[in-house]
Amino acid sequence: MSDNDSQSTPQNAEKDPQDWTTGDEPVTGPQLSYLQTLAREAGREVPEGLTKAKASELIDELQQKTGRGA
């Protein structure tokens, strides 16, 4: 076993969207597309002017509502 094994950081560690350095940037195309799908399934509207961070939070919320969340 190498020293790296005992000091490794989880590859899938999640960071709060509010702490993202790019969180204030506009929502990405893939985020918006997925949000539109989730919102349609949940009977919701996608707000305009979303940031990456807000879109991520809304995705998490809608995944829970639609049962698509992990």
Side-chain angles (χ1 to χ4, degrees), residues 8-65:
S8 65
T9 301
Q11 294 295 321
N12 61 350
E14 290 188 32
K15 192 174 189 179
D16 186 328
Q18 294 303 319
D19 294 334
W20 295 355
T21 57
T22 61
D24 289 335
E25 293 179 6
V27 62
T28 66
Q31 279 181 308
L32 186 56
S33 177
Y34 188 46
L35 264 175
Q36 289 168 336
T37 299
L38 289 170
R40 185 172 47 252
E41 290 179 8
R44 299 263 309 263
E45 296 287 325
V46 176
E48 292 188 29
L50 287 174
T51 63
K52 287 180 182 179
K54 290 294 183 188
S56 179
E57 291 170 353
L58 186 53
I59 286 170
D60 289 344
E61 175 187 330
L62 293 176
Q63 282 180 326
Q64 292 298 315
K65 184 170 185 172

